[in-house]
Amino acid sequence: MATTTTSRPATPRGFDPATARPFLEQFDRLKADLPGGSLSWVRDLREQGRARFAELGFPTVKNESWRYTNLRALDKLAFQPAVAAETGVSFDVLPTVRAAGTTGPRLVFVDGRFRAELSSTAGLPAGVELLNLADALAHKPELVGEHLGRLATPDDLSLVALNTAFLADGPVLHVPRGVEVAEPVELVFVSVGSDEHPTSFHPRTLIIAEDNSRVVIVEHHVGLGTGATLSNGVGEVFVGAHASVHHYKVQREHTNAFHLSHTAAKVGGHGVYDNFILTTGAKLSRNEVRSTFDGEHGDTHVSGAYMVRGDQHVDTSTFIDHAVPCCTSREVYKGVIDDTARAVFQGKILVRPGAQKTDGYQQNRALLLSETAEIDAKPELEIYADDVKCSHGATAGELDDQQLFYLRARGIDKETARGLLIGAFLAEALDEIPEEGVREAFQAYVSAWQNAR
């Protein structure tokens, strides 16, 4: 079972403990009703999260990792925890990457709460377990006890600490040794919120792929309401030796939403972790992905595309930890920014001492469609080994006038020509998705964003 430590790191610079107070009061009021309260290790884990969040509060722009993303707006909104109301969400409005009329394994969460009537485990091979965390804590605590809180720990990550304090529900997927899941497993997170007050929820995702297993996971994050919501999600992904986890996410929440996400992965020897995030929604979003190699000859692909307009803000932050030799990582991110929107890309590759034969590649390219659009990019390489091949780059620019003129000269109107060039620009990022059905679905989301103008 998961255990907690008694010592805590010192409070670092760049946090505001005063911002923690409303959430601490909510936790103290609700903790007795949170799932798994009869398990001492769960109580200890939550208390560890609460204590660390009390010390930290929200990060500020004085924190180097949050220099370009200001969470001050969260402190101004009096978020209230989502309640287990049976919000009217029908089956036919839920997103899917499957062909019309087909079904497959899917878990649905509305404002962070599991909805059994909208979910299904159809199509899963024998031995694969797909259930929500609250039920796992009640009926199969041994399934999650050895993994929950092992990769995503509070420490200096205050939002992980906040999520850990309110740990209650979210998807749990366990793929046994040697099992391949043919059907994509879909995890649907619907934000509805309330018209009366801003609403917050903290979903926790746990994915365990044992040695020689394979699974494709597609996360959908959508907004169906208009009230302000805060989704503060944390995911932990364990990739066993020779296992393969293809983890794809699309975030299309409404423009009153705040979407904060932290995913931590550990990749065993010869394992593959393939992560792709497509972002078009939310007023403010941050997707943070951290992957650590735990065995030689591991492979991590962490890529994505983001398209924002209006006054949206999108932050993509990655950290690839080459802790052992002979591993490969690849990052390709592309963004399209319009109006007064702002994007942030922070990518760090760490090559630890002794991690020889490392191959790390990182690229972020942004397309600015207006004079007031903005991108802040901070690619980093930190290398403590001498036999490595690592490169990184970040560029930003406008649409190519010559290409635009070429299309216009052939009778294509300006808006159509712009759309063709934008689509071609994003195609390189989408090509990082090897699963054809997922890639086509994500391409449709890109086209929908372009046509929404």
Side-chain angles (χ1 to χ4, degrees):
M1 295 296 178
T3 58
T4 58
T5 57
T6 56
S7 62
R8 294 189 177 280
T11 301
R13 178 177 179 269
F15 292 91
D16 183 3
T19 58
R21 182 174 301 171
F23 292 92
L24 299 178
E25 293 174 350
Q26 294 168 12
F27 172 80
D28 293 338
R29 187 171 66 250
L30 298 174
K31 64 180 180 179
D33 298 323
L34 293 175
S38 62
L39 302 170
S40 60
W41 65 268
V42 175
R43 296 196 303 271
D44 291 344
L45 190 60
R46 288 192 180 118
E47 289 295 339
Q48 180 187 9
R50 183 204 184 280
R52 191 57 178 157
F53 188 65
E55 294 171 347
L56 298 176
F58 285 119
T60 72
V61 292
K62 294 181 180 179
N63 184 315
E64 186 61 27
S65 296
W66 292 84
R67 179 180 175 185
Y68 305 110
T69 298
N70 195 332
L71 298 183
R72 185 169 50 191
L74 298 183
D75 193 39
K76 296 179 179 180
L77 294 171
F79 286 101
Q80 297 296 317
V83 297
E86 291 300 312
T87 309
V89 175
S90 61
F91 187 87
D92 58 348
V93 301
L94 297 176
T96 181
V97 297
R98 293 188 173 86
T102 62
T103 60
R106 175 171 63 180
L107 295 187
V108 179
F109 299 82
V110 178
D111 288 347
R113 305 283 183 147
F114 178 61
R115 293 289 290 271
E117 77 280 10
L118 300 174
S119 304
S120 171
T121 58
L124 288 176
V128 175
E129 297 179 275
L130 177 64
L131 68 165
N132 65 304
L133 180 59
D135 283 351
L137 293 175
H139 305 296
K140 294 187 176 182
E142 70 285 350
L143 177 63
V144 297
E146 295 298 325
H147 298 87
L148 198 62
R150 295 292 191 176
L151 298 183
T153 60
D155 297 334
D156 295 340
L157 303 174
S158 65
L159 295 173
V160 173
L162 177 60
N163 176 282
T164 302
F166 283 91
L167 186 148
D169 216 347
V172 175
L173 173 63
H174 173 236
V175 184
R177 180 188 300 266
V179 175
E180 293 193 14
V181 183
E183 289 285 330
V185 177
E186 295 192 286
L187 309 176
V188 183
F189 301 85
V190 182
S191 299
V192 177
S194 169
D195 293 332
E196 299 176 0
H197 54 73
T199 302
S200 63
F201 35 92
H202 311 270
R204 188 68 168 239
T205 300
L206 180 61
I207 298 168
I208 307 163
E210 294 188 2
D211 297 353
N212 297 290
S213 65
R214 185 183 188 277
V215 65
V216 176
I217 301 155
V218 183
E219 286 189 34
H220 302 268
H221 296 259
V222 294
L224 298 183
T226 57
T229 58
L230 167 61
S231 174
N232 174 40
V234 170
E236 296 177 285
V237 183
F238 294 83
V239 183
H242 297 272
S244 177
V245 174
H246 299 267
H247 187 189
Y248 309 123
K249 171 182 174 179
V250 55
Q251 188 272 106
R252 299 186 298 128
E253 294 185 274
H254 56 73
T255 54
N256 285 327
F258 294 83
H259 181 93
L260 306 174
S261 172
H262 178 97
T263 299
K266 183 172 73 171
V267 183
H270 296 271
V272 175
Y273 180 58
D274 176 26
N275 178 290
F276 188 97
I277 299 175
L278 175 65
T279 298
T280 64
K283 180 179 181 63
L284 182 150
S285 64
R286 175 174 166 121
N287 288 295
E288 186 169 354
V289 181
R290 297 190 173 199
S291 181
T292 300
F293 290 106
D294 193 44
E296 294 187 12
H297 302 288
D299 193 351
T300 288
H301 289 188
V302 180
S303 302
Y306 49 90
M307 298 93 74
V308 285
R309 56 166 62 106
D311 63 350
Q312 287 181 280
H313 180 105
V314 57
D315 182 330
T316 300
S317 296
T318 67
F319 178 71
I320 309 298
D321 188 350
H322 285 266
V324 297
C326 303
C327 291
T328 301
S329 64
R330 176 179 173 84
E331 299 180 61
V332 176
Y333 285 92
K334 289 213 169 180
V336 176
I337 310 145
D338 201 356
D339 302 325
T340 60
R342 182 179 183 183
V344 178
F345 173 79
Q346 301 180 109
K348 181 174 181 177
I349 297 175
L350 171 63
V351 181
R352 295 187 182 272
Q356 307 293 358
K357 306 296 183 182
T358 286
D359 186 350
Y361 174 81
Q362 178 192 100
Q363 180 193 76
N364 177 74
R365 294 179 61 194
L367 187 61
L368 305 177
L369 300 184
S370 76
E371 294 182 354
T372 52
E374 184 177 347
I375 172 74
D376 294 292
K378 185 184 176 185
E380 292 182 86
L381 295 177
E382 189 172 340
I383 302 173
Y384 299 98
D386 53 12
D387 186 8
V388 304
K389 183 173 68 173
C390 293
S391 64
H392 67 164
T395 61
E398 303 173 348
L399 286 173
D400 190 306
D401 287 338
Q402 289 186 344
Q403 293 178 347
L404 192 61
F405 176 80
Y406 178 87
L407 294 174
R408 294 291 307 281
R410 278 148 183 79
I412 300 175
D413 66 86
K414 183 178 180 180
E415 287 305 312
T416 300
R418 280 168 55 90
L420 290 172
L421 293 178
I422 293 170
F425 173 80
L426 292 170
E428 182 183 354
L430 293 173
D431 285 343
E432 295 294 313
I433 304 175
E435 301 293 322
E436 183 177 0
V438 178
R439 186 171 62 252
E440 291 177 352
F442 280 30
Q443 179 61 63
Y445 293 138
V446 170
S447 299
W449 182 85
Q450 291 183 256
N451 294 334
R453 169 57 77 187

